[in-house]
Amino acid sequence: MTTFDVVAVGETMALVTPDPPGPLALGGPARIDVAGAESTVASYLAQSGLRTAWVSRVGDDPFGELVRARLDGYGVDTSYVEVDGISATGVFFKDPGEATRVFYYRAGSAASKLGPGLRLPPARITHLSGITPALSSTCARLVDELLSTRLCSFDVNYRPRLWTTEQAGPVLRELANRAAVVFVGLDEAQTLWGVASPEDVRDLLPNPDVLVVKDGAIGATSFHPAGTDFEPAPAVDVIEPVGAGDAFAAGYLAGMSRGSSEAARLRLGHRVAGAALRVTGDVADLKEML
């Protein structure tokens, strides 16, 4: 059985966006794509040359076929993805405007039926996010099981549409504190836990071997066994910010898998995030960058 560098676990949905961009209420042509935090990480890692698998559950429907085909196209192994003959693949819609809104139709999706005992291949690290435990009680038990049995990276990835700050705060803190590598935005840490600085986040999460606190266009701070590193974020002409956090995590994990220095891992995270910021889709083409 192949041992992967990274196995990513979580939901990916079909994404419907008006094309050209405009309010959903006006109707008209649309573009169908795919998007999911963990599969975005997997797609960038596969493009970086790492042996990467994405494990999840999709419906036996065209959207599920699209998700698998898209990830296969990036070089991600999808052979462990379960196909559900009853529940559908989740779908969400982007409503462009002065402040882009997103509408999710994922309740009862195939991925929400994930649970303990999921068949996963061996991996050097398993990547999870704080989205999954909010999907269902069985998904929450799956995340608990994986953090107990595998070496994991964990992106906090707080989604207020899935649960309130009061619900999510203590749960995400407990889960993150059990992972080996943790990614969190300073803004979401402030929302969830009322902290003011990266050092405050470290005080709340002392257990991870590595804690990376991202502060948007300012930079990223890494707390690790050898000390603390900070790398400023390079200036980027932003087209769309969606997916940049997942891209950063992928760049960092790629550097970690190659044994790069901590500073080099952070710089690679910034580079991949910069590529994501310069495209409208969730996954940028890295051929020209890596």
Side-chain angles (χ1 to χ4, degrees):
M1 182 180 293
T2 300
T3 296
F4 290 90
D5 294 308
V6 180
V7 167
V9 182
E11 181 173 35
T12 291
M13 296 178 288
L15 167 61
V16 181
T17 308
D19 188 16
L24 282 170
L26 296 180
R31 176 171 55 89
I32 301 176
D33 209 331
V34 303
E38 300 84 2
S39 63
T40 295
V41 172
S43 297
Y44 281 120
L45 289 170
Q47 288 190 71
S48 302
L50 273 67
R51 294 166 297 175
T52 309
W54 173 67
V55 181
S56 187
R57 193 177 182 92
V58 298
D60 186 12
D61 51 40
F63 291 143
E65 293 177 17
L66 173 64
V67 168
R68 286 177 291 159
R70 187 61 52 83
L71 293 175
D72 287 339
Y74 288 121
V76 177
D77 188 300
T78 62
S79 61
Y80 290 85
V81 174
E82 299 177 355
V83 178
D84 188 323
I86 299 174
S87 302
T89 305
V91 181
F92 71 110
F93 294 77
K94 188 178 292 185
D95 189 25
E98 290 186 12
T100 297
R101 298 182 300 170
V102 176
F103 296 89
Y104 292 97
Y105 297 85
R106 73 197 311 175
S109 68
S112 73
K113 307 298 175 62
L114 290 168
L118 181 67
R119 187 174 70 102
L120 281 85
R124 294 169 62 190
I125 193 161
T126 299
H127 183 69
L128 308 169
S129 89
I131 297 171
T132 304
L135 298 180
S136 68
S137 60
T138 58
C139 283
R141 293 200 298 273
L142 170 63
V143 172
D144 175 73
E145 177 184 76
L146 295 178
L147 285 168
S148 299
T149 58
R150 297 170 76 99
L151 185 70
C152 293
S153 61
F154 185 84
D155 192 334
V156 171
N157 245 332
Y158 172 54
R159 293 291 189 269
R161 284 182 176 269
L162 291 175
W163 46 358
T164 66
T165 301
E166 292 73 21
Q167 293 171 318
V171 174
L172 292 176
R173 178 182 175 184
E174 189 270 336
L175 295 175
N177 216 20
R178 294 167 58 192
V181 179
V182 173
F183 303 96
V184 63
L186 182 57
D187 56 348
E188 63 183 342
Q190 291 169 338
T191 297
L192 289 167
W193 307 313
V195 297
S197 68
E199 290 72 21
D200 292 340
V201 182
R202 186 51 161 173
D203 288 341
L204 281 175
L205 303 175
N207 292 340
D209 294 332
V210 177
L211 169 65
V212 179
V213 183
K214 303 166 291 178
D215 191 6
I218 295 173
T221 303
S222 171
F223 301 90
H224 53 91
T228 304
D229 277 72
F230 172 81
E231 284 293 326
V236 176
D237 292 327
V238 178
I239 294 178
E240 188 173 88
V242 176
D246 301 317
F248 182 96
Y252 183 93
L253 292 173
M256 186 179 75
S257 295
R258 295 170 179 154
S260 301
S261 69
E262 193 65 25
R265 299 175 192 181
L266 294 173
R267 287 195 294 270
L268 185 56
H270 284 316
R271 288 175 62 197
V272 181
L277 290 168
R278 293 191 291 268
V279 300
T280 56
D282 265 26
V283 181
D285 187 342
L286 300 186
K287 290 189 179 71
E288 302 300 321
M289 197 190 77
L290 298 176

